[in-house]
Coordinates of all heavy atoms in Angstrom, one line a residue:
G81 N 73.5 -194.5 90.3 CA 72.9 -194.2 91.6 C 71.4 -193.9 91.5 O 70.7 -193.9 92.5
D82 N 70.9 -193.7 90.3 CA 69.5 -193.4 90.1 C 68.7 -194.6 89.3 O 67.5 -194.4 89.1 CB 69.3 -192.1 89.3 CG 69.7 -190.9 90.1 OD1 69.5 -190.9 91.3 OD2 70.1 -189.9 89.4
S83 N 69.5 -195.6 89.0 CA 68.8 -196.7 88.2 C 68.1 -196.2 87.0 O 66.9 -196.6 86.8 CB 67.9 -197.5 89.1 OG 68.6 -198.1 90.2
A84 N 68.8 -195.4 86.2 CA 68.1 -194.7 85.1 C 69.2 -194.4 84.0 O 70.4 -194.6 84.3 CB 67.4 -193.5 85.5
I85 N 68.7 -194.0 82.9 CA 69.5 -193.5 81.8 C 69.1 -192.0 81.6 O 68.0 -191.7 81.4 CB 69.4 -194.3 80.5 CG1 69.9 -195.7 80.7 CG2 70.1 -193.6 79.4 CD1 69.6 -196.6 79.6
A86 N 70.1 -191.1 81.6 CA 69.9 -189.7 81.3 C 70.1 -189.6 79.8 O 71.0 -190.2 79.2 CB 70.9 -188.8 82.1
V87 N 69.3 -188.7 79.2 CA 69.4 -188.5 77.7 C 69.8 -187.0 77.6 O 69.1 -186.1 78.0 CB 68.0 -188.7 77.1 CG1 68.1 -188.5 75.6 CG2 67.5 -190.1 77.4
I88 N 70.9 -186.8 76.9 CA 71.5 -185.5 76.7 C 71.3 -185.1 75.2 O 71.5 -185.9 74.3 CB 73.0 -185.4 77.0 CG1 73.2 -185.7 78.5 CG2 73.6 -184.1 76.5 CD1 74.7 -185.8 78.8
D89 N 70.8 -183.8 75.0 CA 70.8 -183.3 73.7 C 72.2 -182.6 73.5 O 72.5 -181.6 74.2 CB 69.7 -182.2 73.6 CG 69.7 -181.5 72.2 OD1 70.7 -181.4 71.5 OD2 68.6 -181.0 71.9
P90 N 73.0 -183.1 72.6 CA 74.4 -182.5 72.5 C 74.4 -181.1 71.9 O 75.3 -180.3 72.2 CB 75.1 -183.4 71.5 CG 74.1 -184.4 71.0 CD 72.9 -184.3 71.8
G91 N 73.4 -180.7 71.1 CA 73.3 -179.3 70.6 C 73.0 -178.3 71.7 O 73.6 -177.3 71.8
A92 N 72.1 -178.7 72.6 CA 71.7 -177.8 73.8 C 72.6 -178.0 75.0 O 72.6 -177.2 75.9 CB 70.3 -178.1 74.2
M93 N 73.4 -179.1 75.0 CA 74.3 -179.5 76.1 C 73.5 -179.5 77.4 O 73.9 -178.9 78.4 CB 75.5 -178.6 76.1 CG 76.4 -178.9 75.0 SD 78.1 -178.2 75.3 CE 78.8 -178.3 73.7
R94 N 72.4 -180.2 77.4 CA 71.6 -180.4 78.6 C 70.8 -181.7 78.6 O 70.6 -182.2 77.5 CB 70.6 -179.2 78.8 CG 69.5 -179.1 77.8 CD 68.6 -177.9 78.0 NE 67.6 -177.8 77.0 CZ 66.4 -178.5 77.2 NH1 66.1 -179.2 78.2 NH2 65.5 -178.4 76.2
V95 N 70.4 -182.1 79.7 CA 69.6 -183.3 79.8 C 68.2 -183.0 79.4 O 67.6 -182.0 79.8 CB 69.5 -183.9 81.3 CG1 68.5 -185.0 81.4 CG2 70.9 -184.3 81.7
V96 N 67.6 -183.8 78.5 CA 66.3 -183.6 78.0 C 65.3 -184.7 78.4 O 64.1 -184.6 78.1 CB 66.3 -183.5 76.4 CG1 67.0 -182.2 76.0 CG2 66.8 -184.7 75.8
G97 N 65.8 -185.7 79.2 CA 64.9 -186.7 79.7 C 65.6 -187.8 80.4 O 66.9 -187.8 80.4
N98 N 64.9 -188.7 81.1 CA 65.4 -189.8 81.8 C 64.6 -191.0 81.5 O 63.4 -190.9 81.3 CB 65.4 -189.5 83.3 CG 66.5 -188.6 83.7 OD1 67.7 -189.0 83.7 ND2 66.2 -187.4 84.1
V99 N 65.2 -192.2 81.5 CA 64.5 -193.4 81.3 C 64.8 -194.3 82.5 O 65.9 -194.6 82.8 CB 65.0 -194.2 80.0 CG1 64.3 -195.5 79.8 CG2 64.9 -193.3 78.8
E100 N 63.7 -194.6 83.2 CA 63.9 -195.5 84.4 C 64.2 -196.9 84.0 O 63.6 -197.4 83.1 CB 62.6 -195.5 85.3 CG 62.3 -194.1 85.8 CD 63.4 -193.6 86.8 OE1 63.9 -194.3 87.6 OE2 63.7 -192.4 86.7
M101 N 65.2 -197.5 84.6 CA 65.6 -198.9 84.2 C 65.3 -199.9 85.3 O 65.4 -201.1 85.1 CB 67.1 -198.9 83.9 CG 67.4 -198.0 82.7 SD 66.5 -198.4 81.2 CE 67.1 -199.9 80.7
G102 N 65.1 -199.5 86.6 CA 64.8 -200.4 87.6 C 66.0 -201.1 88.3 O 65.8 -201.9 89.2
Q103 N 67.2 -200.8 87.9 CA 68.4 -201.3 88.5 C 69.5 -200.4 88.1 O 69.4 -199.6 87.2 CB 68.7 -202.7 88.0 CG 69.1 -202.8 86.6 CD 69.2 -204.3 86.1 OE1 68.7 -205.2 86.7 NE2 70.0 -204.5 85.1
P104 N 70.6 -200.4 88.9 CA 71.7 -199.5 88.6 C 72.3 -199.8 87.2 O 72.4 -201.0 86.8 CB 72.8 -199.9 89.7 CG 72.0 -200.5 90.8 CD 70.8 -201.2 90.2
V105 N 72.6 -198.7 86.5 CA 73.1 -198.9 85.1 C 74.6 -198.5 85.1 O 75.0 -197.5 85.5 CB 72.3 -197.9 84.2 CG1 72.9 -198.0 82.8 CG2 70.8 -198.1 84.2
Q106 N 75.4 -199.5 84.7 CA 76.8 -199.3 84.7 C 77.4 -199.2 83.3 O 78.4 -198.5 83.1 CB 77.5 -200.5 85.4 CG 77.2 -200.5 86.9 CD 77.9 -201.7 87.5 OE1 78.2 -202.7 86.9 NE2 78.0 -201.6 88.8
A107 N 76.7 -199.8 82.3 CA 77.2 -199.7 80.9 C 76.0 -199.6 80.0 O 74.9 -200.1 80.3 CB 78.0 -200.9 80.6
I108 N 76.2 -199.0 78.8 CA 75.2 -198.8 77.8 C 75.8 -199.2 76.5 O 76.9 -198.9 76.1 CB 74.8 -197.4 77.7 CG1 74.2 -196.9 79.1 CG2 73.7 -197.2 76.6 CD1 73.9 -195.5 79.1
A109 N 74.9 -199.9 75.7 CA 75.2 -200.1 74.3 C 74.0 -199.8 73.5 O 72.9 -200.2 73.8 CB 75.6 -201.6 74.0
Y110 N 74.2 -198.9 72.5 CA 73.0 -198.5 71.7 C 73.3 -198.9 70.3 O 74.3 -198.6 69.7 CB 72.9 -196.9 71.8 CG 71.9 -196.4 70.8 CD1 70.6 -196.2 71.3 CD2 72.2 -196.0 69.5 CE1 69.6 -195.6 70.5 CE2 71.2 -195.5 68.7 CZ 69.9 -195.3 69.2 OH 69.0 -194.8 68.3
V111 N 72.5 -199.8 69.8 CA 72.6 -200.3 68.4 C 71.4 -199.9 67.6 O 70.4 -200.6 67.8 CB 72.9 -201.8 68.4 CG1 73.1 -202.3 67.0 CG2 74.0 -202.2 69.3
P112 N 71.4 -198.9 66.8 CA 70.3 -198.5 66.1 C 69.8 -199.6 65.1 O 70.5 -200.2 64.4 CB 70.7 -197.2 65.3 CG 72.2 -197.2 65.4 CD 72.6 -198.1 66.5
Y113 N 68.5 -199.8 65.2 CA 67.8 -200.7 64.3 C 68.2 -202.2 64.4 O 67.9 -203.0 63.6 CB 67.9 -200.3 62.8 CG 67.5 -198.9 62.6 CD1 68.5 -197.9 62.2 CD2 66.2 -198.4 62.8 CE1 68.1 -196.6 62.1 CE2 65.9 -197.1 62.7 CZ 66.8 -196.2 62.3 OH 66.5 -194.9 62.1
A114 N 68.9 -202.5 65.5 CA 69.2 -203.9 65.8 C 68.0 -204.8 66.0 O 67.9 -205.9 65.6 CB 70.2 -204.0 67.0

Side-chain angles (χ1 to χ4, degrees):
D82 289 332
S83 298
I85 294 174
V87 183
I88 295 174
D89 176 337
M93 290 197 193
R94 66 180 182 88
V95 172
V96 294
N98 284 289
V99 179
E100 295 300 319
M101 297 306 291
Q103 67 185 26
V105 180
Q106 295 179 337
I108 299 172
Y110 175 91
V111 183
Y113 309 113

